[in-house]
Amino acid sequence: MVPVDVFRDQPTLTGPSVRLEPMTGEHFDGLWPMFGEPEGSRLTGTHQRFTPDQIRRWLATRADHHDRADWTIVRRSDDAVLGEAVLNDLDDGNDSANFRIGLTGPPVFGRGYGTEATRLVVDYALDVAGLHRVHLEVYDFNPRALRVYQKCGFIQEGVHRDALHWDGEWHDAISMAILATDPR
């Protein structure tokens, strides 16, 4: 079983195009636009609106939570902040955690950054942290993210019908997971 503080020594993860740095207050300027970006809010089903002070306080506490890993996705070529990748909702008794990713907006969508960041997090979670299962939900109107997760080895497990009400319509949430024993 993984320890409840499995993410205490959260590393920086590096790929060909992106670097995932442990999230800190220093990332505020790059991350702040993501919190008000309409398309990103829709894709993540985020109805809540945030203030700069709320986000600054939240960022300042990331290193204090050893049962989760919050990374800022940074483009290696110019150090531009591209979004966040998170392992949260750790179930240490079952070696399982939730995965969440959000990019800063349409200018960085469809360029492979999300796929690379997802692979880095999955490899870390299953091969280094020792998790057995990583799970997520993706909304039915986000086929681009669904393809990314499938490319990274996630398998659809079910559908949560009418899980999100957005702009007057109900949408399903597709539940997916990858196990340490699954091909990647």
Side-chain angles (χ1 to χ4, degrees):
M1 297 298 161
V2 297
V4 70
D5 66 347
V6 65
F7 303 122
R8 174 178 300 277
D9 299 316
Q10 182 183 334
T12 295
L13 307 177
T14 304
S17 301
V18 300
R19 179 177 64 248
L20 277 58
E21 301 176 355
M23 192 177 283
T24 69
E26 293 177 16
H27 297 114
F28 173 81
D29 289 338
L31 289 171
W32 172 244
M34 179 175 75
F35 293 98
E37 204 288 307
E39 183 64 2
S41 294
R42 183 180 76 86
L43 293 174
T44 59
T46 305
H47 291 290
Q48 185 175 356
R49 298 295 174 238
F50 302 95
T51 67
D53 286 341
Q54 286 175 308
I55 299 305
R56 281 190 179 95
R57 283 193 303 273
W58 182 78
L59 289 172
T61 66
R62 295 307 82 209
D64 301 333
H65 297 274
H66 304 146
D67 62 341
R68 61 182 288 147
D70 295 88
W71 286 279
T72 300
I73 305 168
V74 178
R75 186 169 42 219
R76 290 184 62 195
S77 64
D78 61 1
D79 292 331
V81 171
L82 305 175
E84 68 169 355
V86 177
L87 289 170
N88 63 358
D89 296 335
L90 176 68
D91 180 346
D92 59 305
N94 291 305
D95 297 344
S96 177
N98 180 69
F99 173 67
R100 179 182 85 222
I101 187 168
L103 298 177
T104 55
V108 300
F109 293 168
R111 299 183 182 272
Y113 301 127
T115 301
E116 186 176 333
T118 299
R119 284 191 174 125
L120 288 168
V121 172
V122 166
D123 288 348
Y124 169 77
L126 301 178
D127 298 338
V128 178
L131 295 179
H132 175 70
R133 182 174 192 275
V134 176
H135 55 93
L136 59 84
E137 288 185 357
V138 58
Y139 294 112
D140 58 8
F141 54 76
N142 194 349
R144 183 176 54 239
L146 184 61
R147 282 190 307 276
V148 165
Y149 301 140
Q150 289 168 335
K151 279 195 296 189
C152 293
F154 285 85
I155 296 170
Q156 182 173 332
E157 296 183 325
V159 175
H160 301 272
R161 298 176 306 137
D162 290 354
L164 174 70
H165 193 252
W166 196 269
D167 286 339
E169 294 183 34
W170 288 103
H171 298 278
D172 296 344
I174 299 165
S175 177
M176 304 180 80
I178 185 169
L179 305 179
T181 55
D182 287 339
R184 286 183 249 160

